[in-house]
């Protein structure tokens, strides 16, 4: 896709219903406190501003389930990337996908799609400075120069578009200030980890033109070890740098051009979690088969070197023009990446994949916002997205070439949307809108079929919300919304049938009721939500045995559906000055319905037959029943310095990471033989189940002035995962009946570190 062609296209486009008791008490508490929410003291949580609905609104006035995460919450515990958000917001998981570059598996409210391939669309939309990142690769972002982070739970198909059926993580970086200033930070921590980060703002023309320069460096020796040599494995070295140029010629026109580049080199090693009965188990070194799912995950039976690199560059132009009755916003973005990774998936070199690929995306959004009449405001717009990618994978089995995958994909998406707020009564507001999306995808599989395959889909995704404010301390709301994720083709298909057979879009209908309340004169906010989701035509990735040189292929099928229900709570409380407490609780109950797919069953003699298997009884992936987060910090003035003590605890219940049938029932299937009646699979492979996690983080930091001109320094000591809770961060079974092999990647063990930063 040429940038000229993109420019032409861009130009064309240019908790159940709550009773009166819950709202009467906060109002009475505010009155007793003798202060309004806007004038109560050092921190009024109700004044946190969010842009969840493409408008600047107070968090407590926005009828959406949102967790607003302040940058200070992350800085005090040495947070490095988006993965450290896991568990902070209710019902949200974030893990790193090891077979891709800076790739993330993200789940919200039990909806996820865990795959690195660029032919598959994420279920959670990641937006950085209003730009959608169209693939899971590149989503594992560095956190430093961040202004705000918002986690929007539930489908956001009206304003944020397709592929946001689970929710959105909306990240805004700081804007160039056009005044001289900046901040720098150096960090050292366990496993040879060193971080150097800096941002500086330089004025060029006073109040008219300014430049922000940024540079982030991160390196680590890794926390896995080679069994034979004891040498650390999993090294990474990444650079992210660029400039943002802000031009504000008038009070009504504001333009920011951001140019950035990311360079990363890394090693990608996996631990063997194969067990007796897996095909590769008989060929693995002694000790590599039958290990445990805790300490053994940190040991690697290295067979080959596993280098990788990821190089990306991006340009974004954000223009805001206040034209009087209408405010216009234009966001134009182009992103291009090149990556290459060689990895051995826990087989001591017996199965090695060599995966070079390229990807680029272009997007253009035009938004119009204003007031149609008193009490009625709107946001409307047009959106265009286009991407191209190519994967050319070579696979080696037992050292010999075993074929490969060459896929060339192209996608286009057009959309128009409108969203409105109508103040029907003084205390009642009706909100809603809709988005019409049309998607086109086409693919070529030169090694498998000659013809190009393609298909087009379209969908209208509406949303309706009614909220009621019985008093200044309470807002009750109810929402119905629909989300949609585009269909596509299986990018790792190994047979002509799988390559030419598309999978269909999936959709959700979500029903939500909630309450946002303020207590104690604004010192405490308590937000609760209850939701029910009807999930249809679920896109489910599955690795099955296949008559190919690799012995398997990855395909996507549409499972029949699922029902998901749950509750969520966000609490923020400042009982006394300088003490801040936060808590989040999420509960999710999700079940498949009518999930039947065809699975090849290979007998010991080598013969195979296709059997319909009913997976309705297995657990959906990345859907823990409980997520709990408790955080607190207390600041103590000591002379000219402020010392802050921080603690954070996160609990994640056990959850499955893949639809992979338990190999223990293989013998039962063979004994039953071919059957016209679908046979029930009672559970997933126990090895793909992550154990419950108890994650404790502690830190102490001191902030003090360095001179009289406003330069401040901060010294922080931190410990992450203090309890050294070990287990799998990612676990995967390759093929089924029989299983070929199984691998996993461990989560970060206990880490100690310190950082020193200066802000001026």
């Amino acid at each position: 896709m040429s940038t000229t062609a993109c420019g032409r296209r861009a130009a064309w486009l240019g908790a159940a219903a709550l009773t009166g008791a819950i709202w009467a008490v906060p109002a009475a508490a505010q009155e007793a406190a003798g202060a309004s929410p806007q004038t109560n003291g050092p921190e009024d949580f109700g004044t946190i501003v969010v842009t969840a609905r493409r408008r600047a609104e107070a968090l407590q006035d926005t009828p959406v389930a949102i967790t607003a995460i302040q940058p200070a919450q992350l800085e005090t515990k040495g947070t490095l990337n988006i993965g450290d958000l896991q568990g902070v917001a209710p019902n949200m998981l974030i893990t790193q996908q090891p077979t891709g570059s800076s790739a993330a598996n993200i789940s919200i409210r039990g909806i996820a799609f865990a795959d690195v391939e660029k032919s598959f669309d994420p279920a959670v939309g990641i937006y950085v400075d209003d730009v959608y990142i169209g693939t899971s690769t590149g989503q594992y972002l560095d956190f430093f120069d961040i202004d705000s982070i918002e986690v929007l739970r539930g489908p956001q198909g009206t304003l944020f578009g397709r592929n946001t059926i689970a929710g959105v993580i909306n990240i805004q970086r700081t804007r160039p200030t056009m005044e001289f200033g900046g901040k720098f930070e150096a960090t050292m921590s366990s496993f040879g980890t060193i971080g150097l980060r800096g941002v500086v703002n330089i004025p060029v023309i006073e109040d008219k033109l300014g430049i922000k320069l940024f540079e982030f460096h991160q390196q680590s020796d890794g926390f896995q070890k080679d069994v034979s040599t004891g040498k650390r494995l999993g090294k990474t070295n990444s650079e992210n740098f660029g400039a943002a140029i802000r031009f504000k010629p008038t009070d009504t026109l504001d333009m920011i051009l951001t140019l950035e580049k990311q360079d990363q080199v890394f090693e990608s090693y996996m631990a063997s979690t194969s067990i007796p009965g897996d095909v590769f188990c008989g060929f693995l070194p002694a000790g590599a088969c039958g290990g445990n799912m805790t300490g053994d995950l940190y040991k690697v039976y290295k067979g080959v070197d596993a280098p990788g690199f990821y190089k990306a560059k991006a340009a974004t132009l954000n223009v805001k023009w206040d034209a009087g009755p209408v405010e216009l916003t234009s966001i134009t973005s182009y992103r291009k990446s090149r990556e290459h990774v060689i990895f051995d998936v826990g087989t001591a070199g017996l199965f090695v994949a060599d995966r070079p690929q390229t990807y680029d995306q272009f997007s253009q959004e035009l938004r119009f916002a204003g007031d149609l009449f008193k009490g009625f405001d709107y946001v409307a717009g047009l959106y265009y997205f286009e991407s191209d990618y190519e994967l050319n994978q070579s696979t080696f089995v037992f050292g010999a070439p075993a074929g490969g995958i060459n896929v060339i994909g192209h996608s286009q998406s057009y959309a128009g949307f409108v969203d409105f707020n109508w103040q029907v009564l003084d205390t009642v507001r009706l909100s809603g809108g809709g988005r019409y999306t049309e998607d086109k995808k086409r693919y070529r599989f030169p090694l498998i079929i000659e013809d190009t395959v393609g298909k087009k889909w379209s969908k209208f995704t509406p949303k309706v919300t009614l909220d009621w404010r019985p008093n200044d301390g309470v807002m009750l709301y109810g929402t119905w919304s629909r989300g949609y994720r585009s269909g596509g083709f299986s990018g790792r298909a190994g047979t002509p049938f799988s390559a030419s057979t598309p999978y269909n879009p999936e959709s959700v209908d979500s029903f939500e009721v909630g309450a946002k309340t303020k207590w104690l004169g604004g010192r405490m906010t308590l937000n609760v939500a209850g939701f029910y989701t009807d999930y249809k035509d679920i896109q489910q990735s599955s690795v099955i045995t296949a008559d190919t040189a690799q012995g398997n292929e990855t395909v996507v099928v549409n499972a029949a559906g699922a029902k998901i229900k749950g509750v969520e709570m966000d609490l923020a409380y400042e009982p006394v000055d300088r003490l801040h407490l936060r808590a989040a609780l999420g509960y999710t109950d999700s079940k498949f319905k009518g999930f039947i797919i065809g699975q090849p069953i290979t007998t010991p003699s080598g013969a195979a037959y296709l059997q319909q298997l009913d997976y309705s009884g297995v657990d959906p992936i990345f859907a823990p029943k409980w997520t709990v987060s408790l955080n607190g910090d207390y600041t103590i003035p000591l002379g000219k310095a402020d010392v802050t003590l921080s603690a954070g605890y996160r609990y994640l219940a056990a959850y499955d990471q893949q639809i992979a049938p338990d190999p223990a029932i293989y013998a039962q299937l063979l004994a039953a033989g071919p059957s016209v009646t679908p046979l029930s699979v009672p559970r997933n492979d126990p090895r793909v189940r992550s154990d419950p996690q108890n994650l404790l983080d502690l830190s102490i930091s001191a902030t003090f002035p360095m001179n009289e001109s406003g330069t401040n320094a901060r010294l922080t000591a931190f410990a992450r995962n203090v309890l050294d809770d070990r287990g799998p961060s990612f676990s995967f079974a390759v093929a089924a009946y029989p299983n070929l092999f199984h691998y996993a990647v461990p989560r970060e063990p206990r880490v100690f570190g310190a950082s020193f930063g200066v802000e001026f």
Side-chain angles (χ1 to χ4, degrees):
M1 177 186 66
S2 70
T3 54
T4 302
C6 290
R8 288 198 299 266
R9 294 185 177 99
W12 182 85
L13 279 170
L18 302 179
T19 64
I22 197 171
W23 54 264
V25 173
Q30 290 168 5
E31 183 177 350
S36 69
Q38 283 71 37
T39 60
N40 64 65
E43 179 163 357
D44 176 4
F45 293 101
T47 61
I48 295 174
V49 175
V50 296
T51 57
R53 298 194 302 164
R54 304 298 199 188
R55 308 163 175 87
E57 302 174 291
L59 172 65
Q60 295 304 107
D61 294 335
T62 307
V64 178
I66 310 170
T67 297
I69 300 167
Q70 303 304 301
Q73 294 177 237
L74 306 175
E75 292 172 352
T76 56
K77 69 173 187 175
T79 291
L80 302 177
N81 51 51
I82 195 173
D84 292 294
L85 294 181
Q86 174 164 267
V88 174
N91 292 324
M92 181 176 73
L93 294 177
I94 303 176
T95 61
Q96 187 167 12
Q97 166 63 259
T99 57
S101 305
S102 296
N105 296 325
I106 307 176
S107 165
I108 295 179
R109 290 184 173 177
I111 297 178
F113 191 87
D115 205 297
V116 71
E117 290 307 338
K118 294 171 175 56
S119 58
F120 308 142
D121 297 311
V124 176
I126 300 290
Y127 281 77
V128 179
D129 295 341
D130 291 338
V131 175
Y132 170 66
I133 299 179
T135 171
S136 61
T137 301
Q139 289 185 344
Y140 219 71
L141 305 164
D142 187 290
F143 278 166
F144 181 64
D145 183 34
I146 300 299
D147 184 55
S148 66
I149 303 170
E150 300 165 12
V151 179
L152 287 62
R153 302 185 296 278
Q156 307 294 326
T158 300
L159 285 170
F160 288 91
R162 83 205 215 291
N163 305 335
T164 59
I165 61 170
V168 166
I169 300 177
N170 187 24
I171 301 169
Q172 295 289 335
R173 294 178 291 191
T174 64
R175 298 159 66 87
T177 63
M178 297 187 291
E179 297 178 355
F180 184 71
K183 63 177 182 177
F184 300 93
E185 181 183 83
T187 303
M188 295 185 66
S189 59
S190 306
F191 311 112
T193 302
I194 297 174
L196 299 171
R197 298 173 174 84
V199 175
V200 61
N201 279 280
I202 303 171
V204 179
I205 302 175
E206 185 177 1
D207 298 328
K208 301 291 184 183
L209 180 64
I211 300 174
K212 182 185 76 172
L213 304 175
F214 57 90
E215 158 73 17
F216 311 147
H217 169 81
Q218 185 76 22
Q219 67 183 60
S220 175
D221 292 337
F223 48 77
Q224 296 167 283
K225 281 190 176 182
D226 188 328
V227 172
S228 300
T229 66
K231 181 182 177 181
R232 292 205 177 278
L233 299 175
K235 289 183 178 180
T236 63
N237 191 310
S238 62
E239 305 282 349
N240 190 340
F241 55 92
I245 305 165
R246 185 178 183 183
F247 181 44
K248 192 176 181 182
T250 69
D251 291 339
T252 60
L253 182 61
D254 196 352
M255 297 180 283
I256 300 177
L257 174 64
T258 303
L259 305 171
E260 56 189 310
K261 189 173 182 180
Q262 182 178 357
D263 286 337
Q264 181 185 35
V265 293
F266 57 91
E267 297 174 341
S268 185
Y269 289 102
M270 291 79 163
S272 169
T273 48
S274 291
I275 58 175
D278 292 351
V279 172
F280 275 54
C281 212
F283 304 94
L284 291 173
C289 186
N292 63 51
M293 295 295 291
T294 52
D296 287 343
L297 296 182
Y298 299 81
K299 304 173 184 177
V300 174
Y301 290 82
K302 179 182 171 184
V304 296
D305 290 329
F309 72 78
Y310 175 74
K311 298 179 181 294
K313 53 187 177 181
T316 301
L317 177 62
N318 190 311
V319 179
K320 293 185 182 295
W321 179 33
D322 187 350
V326 179
E327 181 180 82
L328 285 79
T329 301
S330 171
I331 301 129
T332 309
S333 178
Y334 177 72
R335 183 182 184 92
K336 184 173 184 177
S337 66
R338 182 167 60 93
E339 61 189 279
H340 189 176
V341 59
I342 299 173
F343 57 81
D344 165 19
V345 282
T347 63
L350 301 182
F351 189 103
V352 177
D354 185 341
R355 291 169 52 86
Q357 55 187 311
T358 59
Y359 172 82
D360 64 81
Q361 70 170 60
F362 171 83
S363 63
Q364 172 65 57
E365 184 171 15
L366 297 174
R367 292 203 301 264
F368 311 87
D371 296 327
L372 195 60
F373 53 82
K374 184 178 180 180
F376 189 102
D377 66 84
Y378 69 90
V379 176
L382 300 170
Y383 181 76
Y384 175 77
F385 178 88
E386 182 173 10
S387 70
D388 290 275
Y389 89 100
E390 181 173 3
L391 167 67
N392 193 4
Q393 174 177 317
S394 299
T395 305
F396 301 87
V397 179
F398 291 87
I405 299 168
N406 180 214
V407 57
I408 303 168
H410 175 79
S411 69
Q412 286 180 304
S413 182
Y414 304 82
F417 60 90
V418 63
D419 185 85
F420 70 88
N421 285 322
W422 181 18
Q423 196 72 42
V424 181
L425 301 171
D426 288 343
T427 60
V428 178
R429 179 174 56 176
L430 177 66
S431 306
R435 187 184 191 104
Y436 178 79
T437 303
E438 183 175 285
D439 290 309
K440 299 178 181 179
K441 292 187 178 182
R442 65 174 185 267
Y443 291 83
R444 291 179 54 217
F445 297 85
L447 301 180
I448 304 175
I449 53 178
E450 295 182 1
D451 297 335
T452 298
V453 296
K455 195 168 182 179
K456 180 171 68 175
W457 302 271
S458 62
K459 191 75 172 181
F460 177 67
T461 51
K463 183 175 185 177
V464 178
T465 300
L466 188 68
D467 66 71
W468 175 43
R469 295 175 178 81
N471 58 55
D472 290 340
V474 169
M475 179 181 69
L476 307 178
Y477 70 90
T479 295
W480 167 72
S481 59
R482 176 169 290 165
Y484 148 77
R485 187 150 64 120
S486 172
F489 291 81
S490 298
R492 290 203 302 276
T495 62
F497 176 79
S498 298
S500 59
T501 302
Y503 55 88
N504 293 319
E506 63 180 16
S507 65
V508 299
D509 282 288
S510 178
F511 305 87
E512 179 178 324
V513 292
K516 296 198 171 185
T517 66
K518 290 190 284 190
W519 303 64
L520 304 175
R523 281 185 177 270
M524 183 170 76
T525 62
L526 174 62
N527 299 335
V528 295
F531 62 90
Y532 174 82
T533 302
D534 186 6
Y535 194 5
K536 303 181 182 72
D537 296 321
I538 299 174
Q539 296 169 10
Q540 186 62 61
S541 179
S542 182
V543 182
I544 63 174
T545 55
D547 187 17
T548 66
Q550 300 178 44
N552 69 91
E553 64 174 343
T554 301
V555 297
V556 177
V557 296
N558 291 98
K563 307 295 183 182
I564 308 173
K565 55 188 176 183
V567 293
E568 298 166 340
M569 180 203 74
D570 271 306
L571 172 72
Y573 181 35
E574 187 181 22
V576 296
D577 292 352
R578 301 187 301 277
L579 175 60
H580 304 114
L581 304 175
R582 294 171 295 274
L585 173 70
Y587 171 78
T588 300
D589 180 24
S590 58
K591 297 185 182 300
F592 283 122
K593 183 179 180 181
F595 184 4
I596 299 174
I597 62 174
Q599 168 71 52
I601 307 293
T602 303
T603 67
S605 67
Y609 60 90
L610 187 67
Q611 176 64 56
Q612 296 293 312
L613 297 181
D614 187 348
Y615 287 81
S616 301
V618 306
D619 287 339
I621 63 173
F622 293 97
K625 281 194 175 296
W626 293 98
T627 61
V628 179
S629 173
L630 302 171
N631 295 274
D633 58 78
Y634 182 59
T635 300
I636 306 169
L638 291 177
K640 293 184 178 181
D642 286 335
V643 176
T644 301
L645 307 175
S646 299
Y649 168 76
R650 293 170 290 160
Y651 171 77
L652 306 173
Y655 59 90
D656 287 357
Q657 303 173 78
Q658 183 193 6
I659 301 299
D662 188 348
I665 66 172
Y666 182 30
Q668 300 174 28
L669 293 175
L670 292 176
S675 172
V676 295
T677 302
L679 301 179
S680 177
V681 176
R683 59 190 172 273
N684 286 315
D685 189 326
R687 292 170 292 174
V688 303
R689 190 164 184 80
S690 176
D691 57 319
Q693 299 177 41
N694 291 276
L695 307 174
L696 176 64
D697 304 317
L698 301 173
S699 73
I700 179 171
S701 63
T703 303
F704 49 91
M706 296 186 69
N707 55 38
E708 299 297 326
S709 61
T711 300
N712 294 313
R714 187 182 72 231
L715 181 63
T716 301
F718 60 86
R720 292 197 304 270
N721 192 8
V722 174
L723 303 177
D724 201 24
D725 189 310
R726 299 192 176 210
S729 169
F730 181 82
S731 186
F732 202 79
V734 177
Y737 305 139
N739 278 37
L740 296 180
F741 51 87
H742 194 288
Y743 64 91
V745 174
R747 53 181 175 261
E748 182 185 63
R750 180 167 48 225
V751 168
F752 296 103
S755 66
F756 177 75
V758 176
E759 187 168 357
F760 59 94

